[in-house]
Amino acid sequence: MTDPIELNLDGNAFPDRTERADAAANRALILTTAERLFRERGVENVCMAEIAEVAGVGKGTLYRRFANKGELCLALMDSQLAEFQDSMLGRFQSLTQQGTPFLEQLAQFLESLVEFTEVHSPLLLEVARAGIVHMDARLNVPHFWQYMTVRALLRSAARNDELVADLDLDYFGEALLAPLQVDYFRFQRYVRNYSTARIGMGLRSMVKLLAA
Amino acid sequence: MTDPIELNLDGNAFPDRTERADAAANRALILTTAERLFRERGVENVCMAEIAEVAGVGKGTLYRRFANKGELCLALMDSQLAEFQDSMLGRFQSLTQQGTPFLEQLAQFLESLVEFTEVHSPLLLEVARAGIVHMDARLNVPHFWQYMTVRALLRSAARNDELVADLDLDYFGEALLAPLQVDYFRFQRYVRNYSTARIGMGLRSMVKLLAA
DNA sequence: CTTGTATCTGGACTTTAGTCCACTTGTGTG
DNA sequence: CACACAAGTGGACTAAAGTCCAGATACAAG
C-alpha cells in the first residue's frame, strides 16, 4: 500500500546538511521547554518570545529552527504522528490479510483519525492558524499523509469492486477528510456539541454510502 | 422552507440602539474606504490602521464598528450575501413548484455556493482567519445560514422519501459543507488545482449518494 | 593546533492586531 | 433653547509574531 512518508517534522529545517551539535542541543531544549509550557498553561497562552526566554535562547535561534508556532507544534507531535501512522499501516496489513473490505478499513481509519484529532486539537489548531497565515507547505504534511492513505484505500476498494461506479476518487478523498480539519472539527465538537462517537459514526455512514 | 435569517452583518454592533448619525456616516466611510483599498491592493496587504488613516478616523472608531478585520470583511459582503440568499430561496420555491426533487435542489445549492466561495474567497479567507483566532460567533453567521438551508433541504428530501434510510441528517449537513470552508476550498483550488467545476461535480455526486 | 567559513545566536527592531480611556459630540427631554 | 449623558472618537499603548544582522562558534581541513 502506501509507503510510509518521511514526515520530517522534527524541526530540522535543513535536513540535507548535518546540524551542528550545539544547534541540535538547542532544538531539543526548545522542544522540551515548549512542551512543558504548553502543558502548564495551554498552547494559546504561551508566546514564542516566552518559549525562547524560558529556554534561555534568543528569538533568532527559536525562529531559525521553527519558522512559526505551527511548525513548533507540529514538531511536538512528530513522534505521536509517526506512531499513529505506523499503527495504522500495521492494522491495514492485518485487516487485509483477514480479508476485511477496504471500505471497512477506511471507516476505521477515519474513526481513529477522529480520536487523534480530538486528542491533539490544541496543537493542531495552532498549526491550522499558522497555515492560514503563511502558505507554508510543511504545515500540510500530516494532511498529505492522511490524504494519501484515504486515496489508497479508496483505490484498493475500487479495484476490489467495493465501490459504486464513476466516483471521482481523488475528490472524495479530500471530501471525506474535510470535516476533520481542526477548525471545523472543533466547531462540531464545541459549538454543535457533537460527541466524537457521533462524528465517527457520521463519517462511517458516509463511507458506507460509497459501497456498491 | 427556511425563513430568511436576519444576517445583520452591516457592521452596526448594537442593533437594538439607534446609531448616531455621525457614527453611521463614519461606518459608511470606513466601508467604502476599505472596499477601495482592498480592490486596489488586495485584502491581505491592507492593515486596519491604514484603513482608519485613509478614511480619516481613529483606530478606536474603526474597531468600535468592526471588532476585527473579519467582521469588516463580512460587512463588505453583506449585500452580496443577502442577494445570494434571496436568489436561492426564490430558486427553491420555483424548483419545488416544478416538482424538482429536493436532492437536486441541494446539489444546485452547493454548486452555487462553490461559485460564491470562489468569487469571495479573499474576503472569506480573512473571515476564517479572524474566526480561528477569536471565537467570534458573528463570524459564523454565513455558515449558520448555509447549514440551515442544507439541513432544511435534507429534511424535505427525507420527508419526500428521496433519501436512503437512517442518515444522521444533522451531521450530513455539516459534512457536505465542510469542503466549502474557505481554507480547505483554497487548498483544493490552488494546491490540488481542482477547477470549480470539478469541485461542484464532486459535491453533486456526493449528494447523489444520499439518494434512495 | 590554527584557521577559514558555514552555521548559529541573541536581541533589537518592525509590523500589525487589538485595547483603553480621556475627551468630544449628537440627541432626546424638559 | 440648554443641558445631561449616552454614544462616539482619536490616538497612545500593549502584545505578539516574525525579521534581520553583526558577532560568536563549531567543526573540517591542513
Side-chain angles (χ1 to χ4, degrees):
Chain A
M1 190 158 317
T2 31
D3 287 330
I5 298 163
E6 184 45 62
L7 286 180
N8 185 30
L9 297 172
D10 55 5
N12 182 352
F14 312 100
D16 31 337
R17 301 170 201 138
T18 38
E19 191 177 37
R20 239 166 66 176
D22 55 340
N26 269 339
R27 178 162 57 80
L29 179 60
I30 287 166
L31 283 173
T32 51
T33 305
E35 195 278 327
R36 200 189 82 223
L37 288 175
F38 287 168
R39 181 161 34 78
E40 286 171 1
R41 312 222 321 277
V43 179
E44 65 189 359
N45 300 314
V46 179
C47 74
M48 292 296 265
E50 187 180 5
I51 295 168
E53 192 180 355
V54 174
V57 304
K59 288 185 70 177
T61 308
L62 176 53
Y63 276 100
R64 161 163 277 260
R65 295 294 135 191
F66 308 100
N68 51 61
K69 206 173 171 183
E71 283 194 8
L72 175 55
C73 290
L74 221 37
L76 283 172
M77 285 185 286
D78 188 40
S79 61
Q80 287 104 316
L81 225 28
E83 196 179 314
F84 180 70
Q85 184 179 356
D86 286 349
S87 94
M88 279 296 141
L89 292 180
R91 187 137 123 216
F92 293 151
Q93 204 163 5
S94 112
L95 288 174
T96 302
Q97 276 169 4
Q98 295 165 34
T100 310
F102 290 106
L103 279 186
E104 169 60 24
Q105 294 186 36
L106 176 55
Q108 287 188 27
F109 176 68
L110 293 176
E111 281 172 344
S112 301
L113 205 47
V114 168
E115 293 308 325
F116 188 90
T117 305
E118 170 78 3
V119 170
H120 295 94
S121 85
L123 287 175
L124 288 169
L125 187 66
E126 209 59 52
V127 176
R129 190 179 305 196
I132 215 172
V133 178
H134 334 283
M135 278 298 190
D136 184 346
R138 297 171 64 75
L139 296 172
N140 281 325
V141 170
H143 175 77
F144 276 117
W145 171 68
Q146 290 161 19
Y147 176 68
M148 300 279 276
T149 305
V150 168
R151 198 182 56 168
L153 288 169
L154 284 174
R155 287 181 173 178
S156 299
R159 242 181 287 121
N160 213 21
D161 295 320
E162 299 175 19
L163 291 189
V164 296
D166 280 335
L167 292 181
D168 181 345
L169 294 191
D170 288 356
Y171 180 81
F172 268 83
E174 294 285 2
L176 286 171
L177 286 172
L180 285 161
Q181 291 294 106
V182 230
D183 48 349
Y184 208 72
F185 179 82
R186 287 173 69 102
F187 177 80
Q188 292 185 69
R189 289 283 287 124
Y190 306 122
V191 180
R192 296 291 185 212
N193 281 310
Y194 292 170
S195 65
T196 54
R198 185 173 183 184
I199 294 171
M201 284 301 295
L203 288 166
R204 176 175 278 279
S205 64
M206 213 150 168
V207 169
K208 211 175 201 169
L209 292 176
L210 302 176
Chain B
M1 193 160 311
T2 31
D3 286 330
I5 300 165
E6 183 45 62
L7 287 180
N8 183 32
L9 298 173
D10 55 5
N12 181 353
F14 313 100
D16 30 339
R17 300 168 202 141
T18 38
E19 193 177 34
R20 239 165 64 174
D22 55 341
N26 269 339
R27 178 162 58 82
L29 179 61
I30 288 167
L31 283 173
T32 52
T33 304
E35 195 278 327
R36 201 188 81 223
L37 289 175
F38 286 169
R39 181 160 34 78
E40 285 171 2
R41 314 221 320 278
V43 179
E44 65 189 0
N45 301 315
V46 179
C47 73
M48 293 295 266
E50 187 180 5
I51 295 169
E53 193 180 354
V54 174
V57 303
K59 289 184 69 176
T61 307
L62 175 53
Y63 277 100
R64 160 163 278 260
R65 295 293 135 192
F66 308 101
N68 51 60
K69 207 173 171 183
E71 283 194 8
L72 175 55
C73 290
L74 220 38
L76 284 172
M77 287 184 285
D78 188 41
S79 61
Q80 287 102 314
L81 225 29
E83 196 178 313
F84 179 70
Q85 184 179 356
D86 284 350
S87 96
M88 278 298 140
L89 293 179
R91 187 136 125 219
F92 293 151
Q93 205 164 4
S94 113
L95 287 173
T96 301
Q97 275 168 4
Q98 294 165 35
T100 309
F102 291 106
L103 278 186
E104 169 60 25
Q105 296 186 35
L106 176 55
Q108 288 189 27
F109 175 69
L110 292 175
E111 282 172 345
S112 301
L113 205 47
V114 168
E115 293 309 326
F116 187 90
T117 305
E118 170 78 4
V119 171
H120 296 94
S121 86
L123 287 175
L124 288 170
L125 187 66
E126 208 59 53
V127 176
R129 189 179 303 196
I132 215 172
V133 179
H134 333 282
M135 279 299 190
D136 185 345
R138 297 171 65 76
L139 296 171
N140 281 324
V141 170
H143 174 77
F144 276 117
W145 172 69
Q146 291 162 18
Y147 175 68
M148 299 279 277
T149 305
V150 169
R151 199 182 56 168
L153 288 169
L154 283 174
R155 286 181 174 178
S156 299
R159 242 180 288 122
N160 214 21
D161 295 319
E162 299 175 19
L163 291 189
V164 296
D166 280 335
L167 292 181
D168 181 345
L169 294 191
D170 289 355
Y171 180 81
F172 268 83
E174 295 285 2
L176 286 170
L177 286 172
L180 286 161
Q181 291 294 106
V182 230
D183 47 349
Y184 208 71
F185 179 82
R186 287 174 69 103
F187 177 80
Q188 291 185 69
R189 288 285 286 124
Y190 306 121
V191 180
R192 296 290 184 212
N193 281 311
Y194 292 170
S195 65
T196 54
R198 184 172 185 187
I199 295 172
M201 284 301 293
L203 288 167
R204 177 175 277 279
S205 64
M206 212 151 170
V207 169
K208 211 175 199 168
L209 292 177
L210 302 175

